[in-house]
Amino acid sequence: ACVRNLLLPARHVSAGETWPVRYLYAELARLRDPPRAVDPRHYNELAIAANQQGDGRRAFDLLTLALALDSDFAEARANRAVIAFRSGQRDLGLSDIQRALEQQPHNAGFRHTRGSMRAEVGDVAGAIADLDLALQHAPSGWLLRSEVQARLATLRSGNRPP
């Protein structure tokens, strides 16, 4: 059986179906640029479009699919966090943004997102810490800089954020 496996052409096997393994470099190229049906980036993009069209439920489902394909896809995790939080699933939203930050701790957008969520649930100290870090990690010319600075000023003054 071992000799037979070495001499016969290699095959991918999935759910009872088989496909021949092509030339090694073609297979490696497939890994770098997978077909859209198995590319989590594709589902993330579809989710963004669905959310912009007001279909948060479909966006959430598409992001969950993207995460099923790649559980370490931080952008999809952060996007799902926002949708979950806005739809009332605050614990899931906070959990997802925490996991995204564990993967990309210097991502200013993720820090801003968690800071905003923390402010909304009344964790002012946590919100200030996250928003301060967002400003520290933000690239020059970051579009949200003035918004974050205004929100920090509001939080520090003791007023309820808008």
Side-chain angles (χ1 to χ4, degrees):
C2 186
V3 172
R4 187 185 91 211
N5 286 340
L6 292 172
L7 294 176
L8 292 175
R11 296 186 149 321
H12 294 290
V13 178
S14 173
E17 297 182 38
T18 62
W19 298 277
V21 172
R22 308 262 189 254
Y23 184 60
L24 175 64
Y25 294 109
E27 294 298 319
L28 291 173
R30 268 188 177 171
L31 284 174
R32 280 184 241 108
D33 190 23
R36 289 171 60 145
V38 294
D39 186 353
R41 296 170 300 186
H42 172 67
Y43 295 105
N44 188 52
E45 291 166 6
L46 289 175
I48 291 168
N51 193 50
Q52 288 172 342
Q53 295 168 357
D55 194 349
R57 181 74 231 165
R58 181 165 184 263
F60 183 87
D61 292 343
L62 288 164
L63 291 165
T64 300
L65 177 57
L67 292 168
L69 292 169
D70 181 0
S71 63
D72 293 329
F73 188 12
E75 287 80 11
R77 182 133 345 248
N79 289 338
R80 189 175 80 167
V82 171
I83 291 170
F85 193 86
R86 286 182 182 162
S87 70
Q89 300 177 63
R90 292 183 167 198
D91 289 340
L92 177 60
L94 286 164
S95 171
D96 271 353
I97 198 63
Q98 174 63 36
R99 190 151 171 213
L101 274 166
E102 288 168 3
Q103 295 170 301
Q104 295 183 19
H106 299 295
N107 186 308
F110 295 174
R111 288 277 172 201
H112 170 256
T113 297
R114 189 172 73 173
S116 297
M117 289 177 178
R118 284 177 157 179
E120 198 165 318
V121 298
D123 179 6
V124 174
I128 289 172
D130 275 334
L131 295 174
D132 275 335
L133 284 171
L135 289 175
Q136 288 175 24
H137 298 307
S140 61
W142 188 43
L143 296 176
L144 296 175
R145 185 174 299 280
S146 60
E147 176 189 322
V148 170
Q149 289 168 334
R151 186 159 221 178
L152 273 168
T154 301
L155 290 169
R156 286 189 173 121
S157 73
N159 294 329
R160 182 94 174 127

